[in-house]
Amino acid sequence: MNNLNKAIEALGEDERNQENREWIDALDDVMAEQGLQRGRDIIRILQNSLFKQGVHTTEATLNTPYRNTIPVNEQRSYPGNRELEQKLENIIRWNALAMVVKANDQGTGVGGHIATYQSAATMLEVGLNHFFKRHTDEYGGDQLLVQAHAAPGIYARAYLEGRLTDEQMANFRRELQQGGGLSSYPHPRRMPDFWQGPTASMGLSTPSAIYQARFMKYLENRGLKEPNGGKIWCFIGDGESDEPEVLGTINMASRDNLDNLVMVINCNLQRLDGPVRGNGKIIQELERSYRGAGWNVIKVIWGSEWDELFLRDRDGILQDRMDQAVDGDYQYYTVSDGQSVRDHWTQNDPRLEELMKTLSDEQIRCIKRGGQDRQKIFSAFDKAMENTGKPTVILMKTVKGDGMGASAEGQNTSHQKKQLTAEERIEIGRRFEIPLSDDELAAASLYKPDPDSPEIQYLHKQRQMLGGYLPSRIANFEKLTLPPLALFKEAVSGTKREQSTTMAFVRMLSHLLKDPEIGKYIVPIVPDEARTFGMESLFKQFGIYSSEGQKYNPVDSSSLLPYKEVKDGQMLQEGICETGAMASFLAAGTSYANYGVPTIPFYIFYSIFGFQRVGDMIWACADSMAKGFLLGGTAGRTTLNGEGLQHQDGHSQAIAATVPNMHSYDPAFAYELAVIIKDGIERMYINNENIFYYITLYNENYLMPAMPEGCEKEILKGMYRYVKNENPGHKVHLFGSGSLMQEVLKAAEILEEFGCSTDIWSVTSYNQLVRNALAVERENLLNPDANAESYLQIALKHEQGVFVTVSDFVKSLPNGIARWFPEDPVVLGTDGFGLSESRPTLRDHFEVDARFIAWAALSRLYSKGALSRETLNSARDKLKIPYEKADPAYF
């Protein structure tokens, strides 16, 4: 009876298989007669019919079978000389490996990575021989962002091109050596004529590439760049896709129709310690994500050797097995012998055994993945170039450490493999057919063919056809005209109505946007907080950039300040995405080098969010030599009352001190802000200094005074005397910054009641003061007889009395300058977590209000014997200073 049931079941399966074949044949006939689009239409109609009946096929629509997207009949013939390209690739692979190994032979422990480039070599070579174009008069130029760990391969190619010397190659990761060296990863700051963008911080190259592509479109739509093409080619690893910045920003690319963006994900199935998705399929997972986000997805999984097998696989059994196997299996196949692979693959299925019998064990062991097949890679890049209307992602399956031999190829340890035995070096060199002796191979010697050799001639010819060598960075732009300080007349002359420094900035920004000389280069950037910062007036005047314009009538269209999206809009409104906004700042701030257009970005944000959430992006801006202004709106631990712990910023200025080329300021008055912005434009866009600015702004309203005469230079140095009191009395010096300057002014009035003569100093930048003082100390260290003095020492040299500094930031900020004072100052700051409270209560809690400032001065005067105990007690009672109070630093 059981045998009968099995027979019936087998018969039913045969009938279903026959019916399935008939459906497929029918669909094939339709496409043969009416084209592929008609086939897609029929499937969509059937799918919609299922949806109406409550049957959902979401997975099927987001995932295609585990095979190459491009069928064989759609592949264009390979245009290059495969033999010469293979020889070149082998030489570059060897030199990339040799430079890492040689660097570690020196015993310096500088490290390096080999396996990543070995997996990516073929795809990068196909691109560099046939697709990646340099900027010319006719073409906008491509940007090449490669995997950081693949940098040795890019260096090895540039060495053959004659762009890098033997000394530089020998000094890989030894940048301070004689003859120069090479940075570990793509760092434009370290190699400003070479790398186009930093990629070493995992995950950040994706949003950088996306927003760089969007900014290219922005420039074209605003008429600042010719619409003459240019693509962003971004290469990342499959393990890197786990970083939230990667998949978290891909919707922007499809939303803005960025067909100038091609992402290539090197799916070698391994991250740094093991498989990316051992129990699943990272390629299928990424396909779902990118297809769901609206991208054009191209999968390159199998090499050409599989094409004939697919043709014979009429029943789809090979495809079923491919869909069934997980990445852990495929990694196992990489490190196993042919017979083991055959046994595991066929699973005793006679149909699979029959299909695979045409391949020997050795062929099965050596069969290529798509990412190591020149033809398959070329076809994918070719299709990506043809794609319009949406971005493209190419999921390229490779083997990590391809060509490195059994000790590294496909092994979990391959990423850490940076040293090879003499035998391993010789074996790899012979596999790559490098014409060096065994001794030279064992010594990891570089190999460079004769300049007249066919390989080198071919290499140069291919790059000449593509406009020149890549990667390459050329900063060539016209200097801008410096706006006069009079452009900010209101800020310099003072105001009759109270305003915050944030509002003062918005008005200055409006004047800059209207300036006939530099207005078109200003790029305002805001992450969905324009109304918070009072910038809604810019919507109507200058428009919010949208690649599609505005297809709807906004609900506030009848108001004075409607929400206005336009195709040539100037303002970048990034939504709730600090990473995206910083990526836009990076794109705008490097436009002078990437496009020859010196755009000036002004990115305003909640100051605590900027440095805490995307500090890594700010570091990438420093690496990229981005120019522009970062503006920390709503700064200060006590100024943004009511918002609480995760909004009140008391440390962004302290973090800003860690960015070497960032000039950070904390202005109290509008005229200080005006002087700083004018100076920044001059230094960055006229003097071409590779710096950028961080300025903190506040939302507290008060009258803005007129600028005193002769203080501009001192504002930029970081400090100047705002009030000099010539009256007799106990001498006190109060140092304030930002909106807490208002508390300092009140404290001076209190101190007057106790017989004090108070000078008030405005500290516009603790960080600039510290840097100057440290630079002078260093000079004195190297030249002990110099005895030079810092600006701070000179300014305070003849001052006497007591000194009190107060900041709405952590105490470490003013403490940074304390040792250069005539005597130790009392330092007040806002160490601790923010709180939801009113502004006066917050300042009392953190002990930075006028009462505590005055008390700090009086207490120090008492300790110096200048005040009696009775006077001090009287002051305590009047100012209501408690004897005991919870420490806000630990509250």
Side-chain angles (χ1 to χ4, degrees):
M1 191 65 174
N2 287 338
N3 290 336
L4 179 60
N5 288 338
K6 288 180 180 179
I8 294 172
E9 189 175 306
L11 180 62
E13 184 177 351
D14 289 341
E15 290 177 350
R16 284 192 297 273
N17 287 336
Q18 178 62 33
E19 186 178 0
N20 290 344
R21 279 194 293 270
E22 291 173 0
W23 279 103
I24 292 171
D25 289 341
L27 184 60
D28 288 343
D29 289 341
V30 169
M31 289 190 291
E33 293 293 328
Q34 302 180 46
L36 297 178
Q37 185 58 48
R38 181 55 179 158
R40 295 191 189 99
D41 292 342
I42 289 174
I43 295 299
R44 190 176 296 111
I45 291 168
L46 293 172
Q47 189 179 68
N48 289 339
S49 178
L50 286 173
F51 288 163
K52 291 177 182 177
Q53 299 178 58
V55 180
H56 297 286
T57 59
T58 304
E59 185 175 353
T61 59
L62 293 180
N63 265 133
T64 59
Y66 196 66
R67 64 191 296 174
N68 296 342
T69 301
I70 303 169
V72 176
N73 61 359
E74 291 187 21
Q75 293 179 176
R76 191 158 63 88
S77 297
Y78 195 78
N81 185 320
R82 292 172 186 262
E83 182 181 355
L84 285 179
E85 288 188 21
Q86 187 62 62
K87 287 183 178 180
L88 276 169
E89 182 182 318
N90 287 349
I91 295 168
I92 294 169
R93 279 175 177 251
W94 168 257
N95 285 343
L97 176 150
M99 68 186 297
V100 174
V101 170
K102 190 77 170 179
N104 286 281
D105 283 349
Q106 299 169 7
T108 57
V110 294
H113 301 282
I114 301 172
T116 295
Y117 176 72
Q118 298 300 326
S119 68
T122 309
M123 67 178 82
L124 286 170
E125 279 302 292
V126 170
L128 286 163
N129 280 318
H130 301 286
F131 291 98
F132 309 153
K133 298 180 182 179
R134 184 169 168 168
H135 173 83
T136 64
D137 292 339
E138 295 77 30
Y139 184 71
D142 294 345
Q143 293 178 46
L144 181 58
L145 305 176
V146 301
Q147 282 178 269
H149 295 137
I154 303 300
Y155 292 143
R157 170 174 256 269
Y159 173 65
L160 295 189
E161 293 167 341
R163 297 200 291 150
L164 296 178
T165 65
D166 286 281
E167 289 81 7
Q168 287 174 299
M169 293 290 284
N171 292 331
F172 174 59
R173 293 194 170 204
R174 301 290 306 281
E175 297 179 67
L176 299 180
Q177 299 306 299
Q178 187 173 1
L182 301 175
S183 64
S184 56
Y185 303 125
H187 294 302
R189 174 161 288 277
R190 300 263 60 95
M191 299 177 68
D193 300 324
F194 193 86
W195 293 116
Q196 293 170 289
T199 60
S201 188
M202 292 298 176
L204 296 190
S205 56
T206 298
S208 296
I210 291 171
Y211 284 82
Q212 194 70 251
R214 200 269 293 259
F215 196 74
M216 186 190 296
K217 299 274 190 180
Y218 168 91
L219 290 176
E220 290 177 353
N221 286 329
R222 291 196 54 226
L224 296 176
K225 174 189 176 295
E226 290 293 328
N228 57 353
K231 283 191 180 293
I232 311 297
W233 293 85
C234 180
F235 290 75
I236 69 169
D238 48 356
E240 193 174 347
S241 66
D242 282 343
E243 290 283 6
E245 291 87 356
V246 175
L247 298 183
T249 53
I250 61 175
N251 285 293
M252 160 60 78
S254 55
R255 190 163 62 244
D256 265 38
N257 308 311
L258 299 181
D259 51 13
N260 58 340
L261 171 65
V262 181
M263 281 199 64
V264 183
I265 304 184
N266 181 6
C267 299
N268 56 36
L269 312 186
Q270 291 178 238
R271 47 193 177 202
L272 307 191
D273 289 331
V276 178
R277 295 291 186 273
N279 295 316
K281 279 188 171 70
I282 187 60
I283 288 178
Q284 298 300 86
E285 181 182 317
L286 291 173
E287 181 186 31
R288 289 194 296 273
S289 296
Y290 280 90
R291 279 171 64 89
W295 285 55
N296 174 43
V297 179
I298 299 174
K299 294 193 294 190
V300 182
I301 299 177
W302 306 112
S304 299
E305 298 92 338
W306 290 91
D307 292 341
E308 191 269 335
L309 294 178
F310 278 118
L311 285 174
R312 293 195 287 114
D313 183 29
R314 291 287 296 165
D315 294 329
I317 55 173
L318 178 62
Q319 186 64 66
D320 288 343
R321 185 68 182 99
M322 289 175 169
D323 291 336
Q324 180 188 28
V326 295
D327 284 354
D329 293 329
Y330 289 117
Q331 189 181 354
Y332 168 76
Y333 300 149
T334 300
V335 301
S336 301
D337 61 79
Q339 184 61 51
S340 298
V341 174
R342 184 191 300 274
D343 293 343
H344 191 280
W345 180 255
T346 59
Q347 293 186 327
N348 296 319
D349 185 328
R351 298 173 300 169
L352 271 177
E353 290 176 355
E354 178 68 20
L355 191 65
M356 301 292 290
K357 73 178 184 180
T358 56
L359 298 178
S360 68
D361 288 349
E362 181 63 15
Q363 286 174 315
I364 289 176
R365 188 185 70 81
C366 298
I367 201 164
K368 289 181 179 178
R369 291 180 179 176
Q372 263 89 47
D373 187 301
R374 213 171 298 280
Q375 176 65 64
K376 301 301 183 185
I377 296 168
F378 177 84
S379 298
F381 286 174
D382 195 39
K383 287 291 185 184
M385 294 292 288
E386 294 175 359
N387 177 62
T388 59
K390 60 172 66 173
T392 294
V393 63
I394 302 173
L395 305 176
M396 199 86 72
K397 189 176 182 181
T398 64
V399 174
K400 190 155 189 175
D402 177 61
M404 291 179 67
S407 67
E409 192 173 279
Q411 299 287 343
N412 282 339
T413 57
S414 64
H415 186 76
Q416 281 73 33
K417 189 78 170 178
K418 55 198 68 177
Q419 192 53 279
L420 298 166
T421 66
E423 291 74 18
E424 288 173 327
R425 301 178 192 191
I426 294 169
E427 191 271 331
I428 293 171
R430 293 290 166 245
R431 185 185 307 124
F432 288 154
E433 300 180 335
I434 305 300
L436 296 176
S437 69
D438 284 357
D439 288 343
E440 289 172 316
L441 293 175
S445 300
L446 298 178
Y447 172 64
K448 192 173 187 179
D450 187 273
D452 295 326
S453 67
E455 296 93 336
I456 298 299
Q457 290 298 307
Y458 182 84
L459 178 144
H460 289 306
K461 175 188 172 185
Q462 294 303 111
R463 287 314 311 166
Q464 288 165 6
M465 289 171 56
L466 294 168
Y469 304 105
L470 281 179
S472 176
R473 181 181 180 275
I474 301 174
N476 184 19
F477 66 96
E478 291 186 10
K479 294 180 180 179
L480 300 181
T481 301
L482 181 67
L485 195 59
L487 183 66
F488 312 126
K489 182 179 179 181
E490 184 182 41
V492 174
S493 302
T495 62
K496 295 181 180 179
R497 299 178 62 181
E498 292 186 345
Q499 64 176 226
S500 65
T501 50
T502 300
M503 183 52 63
F505 160 70
V506 173
R507 291 180 178 175
M508 291 179 204
L509 182 62
S510 180
H511 291 314
L512 285 168
L513 285 162
K514 295 173 183 175
D515 185 80
E517 295 291 337
I518 68 169
K520 64 181 179 181
Y521 297 110
I522 304 297
V523 182
I525 306 171
V526 63
D528 203 40
E529 291 283 2
R531 297 184 192 278
T532 299
F533 302 128
M535 299 173 68
E536 61 267 37
S537 63
L538 303 183
F539 292 167
K540 185 176 181 179
Q541 287 180 285
F542 305 100
I544 300 167
Y545 173 74
S546 169
S547 61
E548 298 180 306
Q550 195 164 47
K551 299 177 179 179
Y552 62 94
N553 189 36
V555 295
D556 57 0
S557 59
S558 60
S559 68
L560 291 174
L561 303 173
Y563 198 82
K564 181 184 176 184
E565 297 183 80
V566 287
K567 195 168 184 178
D568 62 349
Q570 197 159 351
M571 188 174 185
L572 293 175
Q573 216 286 11
E574 301 297 6
I576 305 175
C577 183
E578 261 91 14
T579 297
M582 271 307 307
S584 277
F585 178 86
L586 174 57
T590 55
S591 178
Y592 73 95
N594 291 326
Y595 310 107
V597 183
T599 53
I600 309 174
F602 286 85
Y603 169 33
I604 185 169
F605 51 90
Y606 266 65
S607 56
I608 194 170
F609 296 166
F611 272 89
Q612 285 197 170
R613 290 186 180 175
V614 290
D616 210 11
M617 284 292 293
I618 292 173
W619 193 256
C621 289
D623 191 349
S624 301
M625 293 171 287
K627 305 177 190 292
F629 297 89
L630 295 171
L631 299 127
T634 59
R637 190 84 77 200
T638 70
T639 308
L640 189 62
N641 55 329
E643 287 290 276
L645 185 147
Q646 285 191 296
H647 285 67
Q648 291 165 346
D649 166 39
H651 49 279
S652 69
Q653 281 286 351
I655 302 173
T658 65
V659 184
N661 66 324
M662 174 182 281
H663 290 222
S664 55
Y665 288 91
D666 186 31
F669 304 124
Y671 66 79
E672 295 175 347
L673 180 60
V675 169
I676 294 163
I677 289 176
K678 176 179 175 290
D679 172 70
I681 293 173
E682 180 175 14
R683 295 186 66 174
M684 292 184 287
Y685 294 93
I686 295 175
N687 300 340
N688 195 24
E689 294 183 46
N690 290 319
I691 58 177
F692 63 128
Y693 283 65
Y694 176 59
I695 305 172
T696 39
L697 305 173
Y698 298 83
N699 71 335
E700 182 176 356
N701 294 323
Y702 46 86
L703 290 175
M704 294 294 166
M707 184 170 74
E709 290 186 14
C711 66
E712 288 185 45
K713 291 183 179 179
E714 287 73 18
I715 288 172
L716 298 173
K717 290 178 179 179
M719 184 188 76
Y720 66 99
R721 194 187 327 242
Y722 177 63
V723 172
K724 183 174 178 62
N725 194 326
E726 302 285 1
N727 295 330
H730 306 298
K731 196 63 190 176
V732 174
H733 298 271
L734 300 182
F735 297 77
S737 61
S739 66
L740 279 192
M741 179 60 79
Q742 299 304 303
E743 300 296 328
V744 168
L745 294 170
K746 295 174 189 174
E749 295 176 1
I750 295 172
L751 289 171
E752 188 177 358
E753 299 176 23
F754 292 91
C756 295
S757 173
T758 304
D759 285 5
I760 298 174
W761 300 76
S762 179
V763 182
T764 54
S765 178
Y766 285 105
N767 290 331
Q768 293 300 101
L769 291 172
V770 169
R771 287 176 178 176
N772 171 258
L774 290 175
V776 171
E777 273 196 356
R778 175 185 172 276
E779 185 63 28
N780 289 336
L781 178 67
L782 297 177
N783 300 280
D785 295 328
N787 291 320
E789 293 181 308
S790 67
Y791 167 70
L792 185 63
Q793 289 171 310
I794 294 170
L796 300 179
K797 190 171 186 177
H798 302 295
E799 303 301 333
Q800 297 178 344
V802 301
F803 302 82
V804 179
T805 68
V806 60
S807 164
D808 214 3
F809 291 90
V810 291
K811 293 176 183 177
S812 62
L813 193 66
N815 254 327
I817 64 171
R819 64 190 178 93
W820 293 287
F821 273 58
E823 64 175 59
D824 289 342
V826 181
V827 175
L828 305 180
T830 57
D831 293 55
F833 287 113
L835 297 162
S836 297
E837 254 299 350
S838 67
R839 190 176 290 143
T841 305
L842 282 171
R843 289 178 175 169
D844 170 71
H845 170 73
F846 284 103
E847 301 159 9
V848 292
D849 63 4
R851 297 160 41 248
F852 275 99
I853 297 170
W855 172 255
L858 295 171
S859 178
R860 179 56 61 88
L861 284 169
Y862 168 75
S863 67
K864 294 181 69 172
L867 283 187
S868 67
R869 183 70 185 185
E870 181 181 4
T871 303
L872 186 67
N873 289 340
S874 174
R876 181 188 289 276
D877 292 339
K878 182 171 183 178
L879 299 177
K880 299 180 181 179
I881 303 297
Y883 284 89
E884 292 186 2
K885 180 176 174 293
D887 188 341
Y890 307 102
F891 183 81

